Amino acid sequence: MKIALAQINPIVGDIEGNANKIIPIIKHTKADIVAFPELCITGYSPQDLLLKGSFIQKNMAALRKIIQATKNKAAIVGFVENAHGELYNSAAAIRNRQVIEIHHKICLPNYAIFDEKRWFSQGSQPTIFEFEGKKIGLNICEDIWFPETAKKQKERGADLIINISASPYWKGKIEAIGNILMQRWEENKVPIILVNQVGGQDGIVYYGHSMYFNGGKVIKKCRDFEEDILIVDVK
């Protein structure tokens, strides 16, 4: 199975522009699944834009446009979902113009530059979807920093975990995420794909470093601090 890590620079608030960047990558990348960063439709972090109903609606309209672009394709896309009056930081697994699964972010960071509990409700389900005979665990950013979500996905039979992130840079961050993925590997012995964004927003810098981690080591990774598309072959 070939999975493309689409390490892009989404712009906060530019929903149309972000969708117009995502769609050609889906159409022209030769991979079984193309995975994009956390909240790639809205950009991260949209903060109080999430208080505007029109913003949420535009984000959903963009998701529908992206779904229509997946004829004979598959993608994982980060978006904001309004479900029963609650907002969720969500990831959609899409295949051939159908949403086959949605993950609601479980571990909502609420420290330093993060304030996700202000805007989002907490997810509760360790999401799994099936693709080409494999069970894939889907989670979002902070979900991979703690053991519970990955452990539950492993218990449900996950052969692979895909994590989509919007993780900012700080000194030592690259070493830290490497240590975290090593911990998850040692606990579960399941390969991990992490897709992080690049770019900057309000003084925050995103470092990329998207990677395929397996066997206790980084197998392949994207360039740091640059947009990049990396295709990995997952056995």
Side-chain angles (χ1 to χ4, degrees):
M1 180 189 303
K2 294 186 183 299
I3 301 179
L5 287 62
Q7 179 175 287
I8 63 172
N9 175 16
I11 306 301
V12 172
D14 186 10
I15 291 173
E16 182 178 0
N18 294 336
N20 288 340
K21 174 175 285 191
I22 291 165
I23 287 169
I25 294 173
I26 293 172
K27 287 184 173 181
H28 301 304
T29 302
K30 294 182 179 179
D32 297 298
I33 302 174
V34 184
F36 294 87
E38 176 182 11
L39 292 185
C40 57
I41 290 179
T42 62
Y44 191 95
S45 170
Q47 301 187 21
D48 283 0
L49 288 170
L50 295 168
L51 301 176
K52 296 179 176 291
S54 60
F55 184 79
I56 306 302
Q57 292 167 11
K58 288 177 181 177
N59 144 89
M60 291 303 301
L63 177 64
R64 290 191 291 270
K65 184 178 177 182
I66 291 167
I67 290 169
Q68 290 305 306
T70 62
K71 183 179 180 181
N72 300 320
K73 298 281 186 173
I76 294 171
V77 177
F79 73 107
V80 178
E81 183 181 17
N82 186 343
H84 309 294
E86 303 285 340
L87 291 186
Y88 293 95
N89 181 339
S90 299
I94 308 163
R95 184 177 191 180
N96 196 20
R97 295 179 171 171
Q98 297 290 327
V99 175
I100 58 175
E101 192 56 85
I102 292 176
H103 176 72
H104 296 154
K105 189 175 182 178
I106 296 171
C107 299
L108 301 179
N110 211 54
Y111 58 89
I113 63 170
F114 302 106
D115 197 10
E116 289 202 19
K117 290 183 180 179
R118 171 183 171 89
W119 305 295
F120 296 118
S121 294
Q122 183 178 19
S124 59
Q125 298 301 316
T127 305
I128 293 280
F129 69 95
E130 295 193 22
F131 189 91
E132 301 297 339
K134 286 187 178 292
K135 291 186 176 180
I136 299 176
L138 177 58
N139 56 49
I140 301 174
C141 204
E142 201 91 350
D143 291 339
I144 204 69
W145 285 75
F146 298 95
E148 291 80 7
T149 303
K151 180 176 182 291
K152 290 177 181 178
Q153 289 172 328
K154 167 65 174 179
E155 289 171 352
R156 292 188 60 192
D159 301 302
L160 171 70
I161 290 173
I162 298 178
N163 175 278
I164 64 170
S165 291
S167 185
Y169 179 78
W170 38 260
K171 186 178 179 181
K173 184 63 172 287
I174 289 174
E175 292 78 10
I177 189 60
N179 291 335
I180 290 297
L181 296 191
M182 176 62 81
Q183 290 174 33
R184 299 294 85 82
W185 163 258
E186 290 178 345
E187 292 159 358
N188 303 296
K189 299 299 188 291
V190 174
I192 301 168
I193 284 175
L194 181 144
V195 185
N196 190 28
Q197 75 165 70
V198 293
Q201 166 65 21
D202 287 346
I204 303 167
V205 175
Y206 298 96
Y207 63 100
H209 203 75
S210 304
M211 68 182 97
Y212 172 39
F213 193 96
N214 194 11
K217 62 183 179 180
V218 177
I219 305 300
K220 294 180 78 174
K221 76 174 191 71
C222 292
R223 296 188 297 267
D224 295 342
F225 301 103
E226 298 179 43
E227 290 191 309
D228 197 8
I229 296 175
L230 176 69
I231 298 176
V232 299
D233 197 351
V234 179
K235 303 297 185 183

